[in-house]
C-alpha cells in the first residue's frame, strides 16, 4: 500500500486501509472500496488529506499501528466521560479517576506488548473532535517517549494520564474564547493561558492524581529558555512531565488539521521541532521523542536529493532520517531497494529531499 495525497486520488484506485473519521473511529470507508469521483469528493468534504491505496508495486507493504483502533475508541470514550464529569461537577468522582487510570494502564500494557514502538502511519484526524483525539495522541506520545527513556511502568502510566488530561483546564475557559477564529485580544489570551492553572486548582483535591502529574499539567506550556507560561520556568526547573508533554503536545498539534490550516507533514513538524532544541524543548528528551515517530512513514512516496523517486518500505527507531526505500524512478532503477542507513552503499551522500505532496507528480507505475 502507498499513501496518496487527496489531490492525486483518481477514480478506480482501491483503498488499502479503512478510512476512519471522528472521535469514535467509525469507518467512513472500508479497505477494498474502489474510489469514484463522488467518494473522492466525500473525502475532500470530510477534510481527509490523503488515504492509503492498493498498489501492485507495493502490495507487500504492511503498515502496523502502535495502538489498535478498538483501544483508541475505548480511550476516547473514557476521556469523554471524564470531561463530562469535570464539566458538570465541582469535584471529580473517584470512579472517573479510577476509570481513566485503568484505561491508561491498559494502553501502557498494549504499547509495551508491541515489538516496534514507532508511530509509523499517517493517521487521519478529524478537526471537529480535535480536543479528544489530540489528548489521546499526546497521551500515546508521552508513553512512547517514556519508553525510550526506559522509565518504569508506573511512570509510563503517570505520563499517559498527564498527556491525556493536559488540556482539561480549557473546559474552564469560555467557549467564545476557545472557538474564536480571529486573533485573541491580550485579555482573552491571558484567560486562555490560565488553563493549566485552572486544571490544577480543580484536580488538586483528587488525591489519586499524583503531584507529579499535576506539575506536568501545570507546566506543559513552559519553554526551555524561560519564555513559556504560566511561570516562565527555565531548563530542568520545568518538571519532567511538563517537558515531555510539551514535545507531544506541539508535535500532535502541528500534524493535526485545524479549521484554519492544513496538517503539517511529520517531516516538516520534526524539522521545526529540531530547530527549537534548547529554546522550547529539552534536547535530551527531544532525542528520545525523535525515536517515537517515523519522519517518513511506510508507504510514503519521497523525492531524493539525486532526483530519484522512491517509496519508504521500512523504518527503524535508530535512524528515522534514513529509512529503507524502494526506488520507483528513474525506470532503470525501478524496484531496487536501498537501506539509506547502510553506510556501505553508494547512496551514502543521498538524502531525502521531501515527501510527495500536492505539487509533485505521482509516478504512474504505482497504479498499474
Ligand atoms: Fe495546553
Amino acid at each position: 500500500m502507498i499513501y496518496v495525497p487527496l489531490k492525486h486520488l483518481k477514480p478506480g484506485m482501491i483503498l488499502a486501509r479503512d478510512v476512519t473519521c471522528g472521535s469514535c473511529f467509525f469507518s467512513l470507508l472500508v479497505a477494498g472500496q474502489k474510489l469514484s469521483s463522488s467518494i473522492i469528493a466525500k473525502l475532500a468534504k470530510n477534510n481527509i488529506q490523503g488515504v492509503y491505496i492498493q498498489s501492485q508495486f507495493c502490495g507487500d507493504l504492511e503498515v502496523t499501528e502502535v495502538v489498535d483502533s478498538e483501544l483508541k475508541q475505548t480511550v476516547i470514550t473514557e476521556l469523554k466521560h471524564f470531561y463530562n464529569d469535570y464539566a458538570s461537577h465541582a469535584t471529580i468522582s473517584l470512579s472517573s479517576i479510577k476509570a481513566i487510570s485503568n484505561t491508561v494502564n491498559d494502553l501502557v500494557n498494549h504499547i509495551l506488548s508491541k515489538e516496534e514502538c514507532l508511530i509509523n502511519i499517517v493517521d487521519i484526524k478529524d478537526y471537529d473532535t480535535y480536543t479528544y483525539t489530540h489528548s489521546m495522541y499526546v497521551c500515546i506520545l508521552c508513553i512512547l517517549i517514556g519508553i525510550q527513556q526506559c522509565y518504569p511502568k508506573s511512570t509510563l502510566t503517570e505520563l499517559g494520564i498527564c498527556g491525556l488530561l493536559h488540556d482539561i483546564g480549557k473546559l474552564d475557559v469560555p467557549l467564545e474564547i476557545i472557538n474564536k477564529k480571529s486573533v485573541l485580544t491580550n485579555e482573552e489570551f491571558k484567560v486562555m493561558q490560565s488553563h493549566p492553572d485552572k486544571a490544577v486548582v480543580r484536580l488538586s483535591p483528587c488525591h489519586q492524581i499524583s503531584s507529579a502529574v499535576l506539575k506536568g499539567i501545570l507546566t506543559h506550556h513552559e519553554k526551555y529558555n524561560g519564555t513559556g507560561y504560566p511561570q516562565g520556568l527555565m531548563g530542568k526547573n520545568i518538571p519532567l512531565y511538563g517537558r515531555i508533554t510539551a514535545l507531544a503536545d506541539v508535535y500532535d498539534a502541528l500534524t493535526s488539521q485545524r479549521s484554519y490550516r492544513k496538517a503539517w507533514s511529520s517531516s516538516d513538524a520534526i524539522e521545526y521541532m529540531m530547530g527549537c532544541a534548547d529554546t522550547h524543548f529539552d534536547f535530551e528528551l527531544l532525542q528520545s521523542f525523535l525515536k517515537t515517530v517515523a519522519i517518513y512513514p511506510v508507504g510514503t512516496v519521497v523525492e531524493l536529493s539525486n532526483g530519484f523517486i522512491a517509496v519508504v518500505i521500512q523504518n527503524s527507531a535508530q535512524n528515522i532520517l534514513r529509512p529503507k526505500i524502494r526506488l520507483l524512478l528513474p525506470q532503470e532503477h525501478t524496484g531496487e531497494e536501498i537501506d539509506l542507513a547502510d553506510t556501505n552503499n553508494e547512496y551514502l551522500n543521498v538524502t531525502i529531499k521531501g515527501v510527495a505532496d500536492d505539487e509533485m507528480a505521482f509516478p504512474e507505475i504505482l497504479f498499474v
Side-chain angles (χ1 to χ4, degrees):
M1 64 172 84
I2 48 160
Y3 180 78
V4 182
L6 180 73
K7 195 183 166 192
H8 296 289
L9 293 177
K10 291 188 184 119
M13 289 178 174
I14 298 171
L15 277 181
R17 282 177 58 88
D18 291 359
V19 177
T20 54
C21 198
S23 61
C24 292
F25 291 93
F26 64 86
S27 290
L28 188 70
L29 294 167
V30 290
Q33 171 82 53
K34 196 182 255 192
L35 296 187
S36 62
S37 306
S38 63
I39 290 175
I40 295 170
K42 188 178 171 188
L43 290 169
K45 198 172 162 230
N46 280 279
N47 298 299
I48 307 286
Q49 293 184 12
V51 292
Y52 284 90
I53 291 292
Q54 284 182 11
S55 163
Q56 273 194 348
F57 191 77
C58 304
D60 56 321
L61 298 190
E62 282 289 328
V63 187
T64 49
E65 296 193 56
V66 170
V67 180
D68 300 343
S69 296
E70 226 172 282
L71 185 53
K72 283 182 187 169
Q73 191 175 330
T74 308
V75 175
I76 293 281
T77 305
E78 285 305 331
L79 184 60
K80 278 183 174 174
H81 286 155
F82 196 90
Y83 262 59
N84 284 338
D85 200 13
Y86 184 99
S88 48
H89 302 100
T91 49
I92 316 292
S93 71
L94 190 58
S95 61
S96 283
I97 295 168
K98 274 193 175 157
I100 213 88
S101 301
N102 289 340
T103 307
V104 175
N105 207 32
D106 289 346
L107 193 57
V108 169
N109 287 332
H110 179 83
I111 294 173
L112 285 173
S113 73
K114 297 275 170 145
E115 265 177 43
E116 183 73 275
C117 288
L118 186 72
I119 293 188
N120 204 357
I121 200 160
V122 182
D123 238 329
I124 290 113
K125 296 172 209 156
D126 176 1
Y127 67 69
D128 290 337
T129 52
Y130 176 74
T131 306
Y132 300 120
T133 47
H134 169 66
S135 298
M136 181 188 66
Y137 282 103
V138 172
C139 165
I140 294 170
L141 283 165
C142 283
I143 294 169
L144 290 173
I145 296 168
I147 291 172
Q148 287 299 330
Q149 289 284 107
C150 301
Y151 295 149
K153 219 165 108 177
S154 56
T155 305
L156 300 179
T157 303
E158 283 202 332
L159 264 173
I161 295 171
C162 183
L164 201 55
L165 302 182
H166 75 284
D167 261 351
I168 199 162
K170 284 189 179 170
L171 286 177
D172 295 316
V173 174
L175 267 181
E176 54 268 31
I177 295 180
I178 297 277
N179 294 334
K180 193 174 172 188
K181 293 267 192 296
S182 51
V183 181
L184 297 180
T185 64
N186 284 346
E187 211 43 53
E188 288 166 335
F189 199 54
K190 267 187 198 158
V191 177
M192 185 64 132
Q193 287 186 328
S194 68
H195 74 272
D197 286 300
K198 288 197 155 99
V200 170
V201 168
R202 293 280 307 281
L203 295 175
S204 290
C206 313
H207 299 299
Q208 293 74 22
I209 298 179
S210 74
S211 65
V213 170
L214 292 177
K215 281 182 195 167
I217 293 172
L218 181 67
T219 58
H220 73 273
H221 284 291
E222 297 288 359
K223 292 183 180 174
Y224 210 68
N225 63 3
T227 60
Y229 65 86
Q231 293 166 281
L233 296 176
M234 270 183 92
K236 305 275 193 240
N237 288 328
I238 305 169
L240 178 67
Y241 292 3
R243 279 178 275 142
I244 291 175
T245 309
L247 283 160
D249 185 25
V250 170
Y251 175 79
D252 190 73
L254 291 175
T255 55
S256 296
Q257 180 164 313
R258 307 306 306 276
S259 57
Y260 48 85
R261 65 156 167 80
K262 282 178 79 171
W264 288 27
S265 67
S266 180
S267 52
D268 284 348
I270 286 171
E271 196 179 318
Y272 167 81
M273 289 174 71
M274 285 167 88
C276 298
D278 282 340
T279 51
H280 191 152
F281 306 116
D282 178 331
F283 183 60
E284 183 203 327
L285 292 172
L286 178 67
Q287 284 175 311
S288 281
F289 164 75
L290 293 177
K291 292 176 181 163
T292 68
V293 286
I295 296 189
Y296 308 107
V298 170
T300 307
V301 177
V302 293
E303 185 179 4
L304 307 181
S305 57
N306 60 358
F308 289 11
I309 306 292
V311 62
V312 175
I313 58 172
Q314 197 183 333
N315 264 296
S316 154
Q318 303 319 312
N319 197 342
I320 55 165
L321 281 167
R322 300 186 68 78
K324 201 168 171 185
I325 56 171
R326 184 177 297 160
L327 294 178
L328 301 172
L329 294 173
Q331 263 180 3
E332 60 267 34
H333 290 283
T334 300
E336 279 178 32
E337 292 187 358
I338 317 287
D339 185 353
L340 291 176
D342 178 3
T343 50
N344 292 317
N345 69 43
E346 58 187 302
Y347 286 80
L348 193 59
N349 62 348
V350 175
T351 55
I352 293 180
K353 208 171 128 189
V355 295
D357 53 19
D358 288 355
E359 277 71 48
M360 199 180 104
F362 239 70
E364 285 298 321
I365 187 174
L366 287 167
F367 309 114
V368 290

